[in-house]
Amino acid sequence: MAMAARKGRTTASPHTSITTTAWPGSLDSWLSWIPLPKWALITVAVAGAILLLLFLICILKCCCSKKKPKKKERISLCAISNSTTTSLVQPEMEDLEREVEQKQRGKLQYSLEYNFRKQELKVGVKQAVELKAMDSGGTSDPYVIVYLTSDMKKRYETKVYRKTLNPIFNESFIFQVPQAEVSESTLVMQVYDFNPFAKHDIIGEVRLPLASVNLQHVIEQWSDLAVASKVEEEHLGEICFSLRYVPSTGKLTVLILEAKQLKRMDSHGLSDPFVKVHLILNRKKWKKKKTSVKKNTLSPYFNEVFVFEVPFSQIQNVDVVISVWDHDKVTKNEPIGKLFLGCRATGNQLRHWSDMLSNPRRPLAQWHILQPPEVVDKALGLKSPLKLPLHSR
């Protein structure tokens, strides 16, 4: 019966049909119709996927390359037609306009001659051409002011020429300038338009640093008038001194060494300088000392020492005022310039004071630029001395 059963399983009726488990729409049914082996079909599928990926990458690159020219057009100066945008992209256009404006102010012809024996600088104002019209009628009433930055009080003026843009001056002026100070001076020639009823308008100026000029020969040249610079502060000079403080003894040592390029205070172009050293405690004058007077010089050498007793408990409340004065026998002494050091100071003065405190017992020397006396006095804010009430008996 086992044999009969085994035979029954293996034989089939010729009328019975053989069925499969695969769906007619599945991947296997589709692959069964393709007369290729499986490994070949897998290879074709992978190649197709790679080709599709490359195709997508090409599309992305094309999109990016189309956007780039738009960015270039935005920053291209050739494609810009709007003046506002051009000024933002090209800020140097203002500089070009300023140059054009300067050229429209005209030119000035002048001459320079230095006499080494007499130590005199002769400045000749020759003529001007194509000056800027300042009046409503299209003309100007020009004249020229000439001075040196080393002595701004001494100024010369030419005559006024009416209703012309091409005046011929032909005037000369002489400045007393020591040879050692020539390279530190700047010649300024300013062309003004005269106005009888209002403030005179400046047309332009020429600034010539004498250090850039060879004064071995007579010089005659033309220069374009430039826009006048802002009002400059007068150079008062410089002073060099040393500070030393010893906390254990409470001794503050001030050594006045020298000064240079001081402002000319006398009619003959020199000064008689001396130095005052004031100590101010809690904004009240406390102690003072002064150097000897040096006659007829703008670069005096002192080398004088002053010692003050300042307790360590008070050093933070002390201001040291250094002032340079011009001595005069007939009239009152005039201040040339001042500066002060202390915890309330600023800039180089504060740095010098801080270095002194951080290096006890060590003298520290430094150069300082003198400032206008009124500016220093205002910064100090000195209090008036206390007045003791008088008791009547």
Side-chain angles (χ1 to χ4, degrees), residues 73-90:
E73 289 177 2
R74 290 177 186 174
I75 63 173
S76 174
L77 296 179
C78 299
I80 294 175
S81 59
N82 187 287
S83 60
T84 305
T85 310
T86 305
S87 64
L88 293 175
V89 178
Q90 284 184 294

Side-chain angles (χ1 to χ4, degrees), residues 119-121 123 146-148 154 156 173-177:
Q119 297 192 357
E120 293 178 347
L121 178 66
V123 180
V146 185
Y147 66 91
L148 294 173
K154 192 171 187 179
Y156 293 105
F173 311 103
I174 295 177
F175 296 90
Q176 294 288 336
V177 187

Side-chain angles (χ1 to χ4, degrees), residues 22-38 41:
W23 296 352
S26 66
L27 180 61
D28 292 338
S29 64
W30 284 103
L31 292 176
S32 64
W33 289 97
I34 300 174
L36 291 175
K38 265 188 178 182
L41 294 176

Side-chain angles (χ1 to χ4, degrees), residues 160-181:
V160 178
Y161 288 81
R162 302 286 184 178
K163 296 182 180 180
T164 178
L165 301 179
N166 302 286
I168 299 177
F169 301 102
N170 282 334
E171 297 186 41
S172 299
F173 311 103
I174 295 177
F175 296 90
Q176 294 288 336
V177 187
Q179 185 177 348
E181 300 176 10

Side-chain angles (χ1 to χ4, degrees), residues 224-363:
D224 291 326
L225 292 175
V227 178
S229 58
K230 296 180 180 179
V231 179
E232 56 190 345
E233 290 186 2
E234 188 175 7
H235 184 74
L236 304 176
E238 300 177 42
I239 185 170
C240 181
F241 55 88
S242 171
L243 296 177
R244 178 175 180 261
Y245 184 67
V246 182
S248 58
T249 60
K251 288 187 177 181
L252 174 64
T253 303
V254 181
L255 171 60
I256 305 298
L257 293 169
E258 59 180 315
K260 65 180 181 180
Q261 302 175 27
L262 294 180
K263 177 183 174 183
R264 293 175 174 86
M265 302 296 289
D266 300 337
S267 58
H268 55 276
L270 295 173
S271 299
D272 301 323
F274 67 96
V275 179
K276 288 183 181 180
V277 182
H278 279 86
L279 255 62
I280 295 175
L281 178 62
N282 295 324
R283 301 192 180 189
K284 297 177 185 177
K285 292 182 179 180
W286 186 25
K287 302 176 182 180
K288 70 174 180 178
K289 294 183 181 181
K290 64 180 180 178
T291 67
S292 58
V293 177
K294 305 298 178 180
K295 297 287 186 180
N296 299 326
T297 179
L298 299 177
S299 300
Y301 181 76
F302 299 100
N303 196 26
E304 299 185 31
V305 180
F306 305 109
V307 179
F308 300 91
E309 292 186 2
V310 182
F312 183 70
S313 59
Q314 297 289 351
I315 193 65
Q316 299 290 342
N317 303 320
V318 167
D319 297 310
V320 178
V321 182
I322 309 292
S323 57
V324 182
W325 295 70
D326 175 52
H327 177 74
D328 200 318
K329 292 181 179 179
V330 181
T331 60
K332 187 178 179 181
N333 297 337
E334 295 183 80
I336 298 176
K338 290 184 178 182
L339 61 95
F340 80 96
L341 303 94
C343 295
R344 297 192 294 139
T346 58
N348 289 331
Q349 289 88 328
L350 178 60
R351 188 177 299 110
H352 195 178
W353 185 260
S354 300
D355 290 343
M356 178 200 71
L357 294 178
S358 59
N359 296 275
R361 301 178 181 84
R362 179 183 173 186

Side-chain angles (χ1 to χ4, degrees), residues 119-134:
Q119 297 192 357
E120 293 178 347
L121 178 66
K122 184 178 180 181
V123 180
V125 181
K126 302 295 183 179
Q127 59 180 322
V129 295
E130 301 175 359
L131 293 179
K132 182 179 179 180
M134 305 296 287

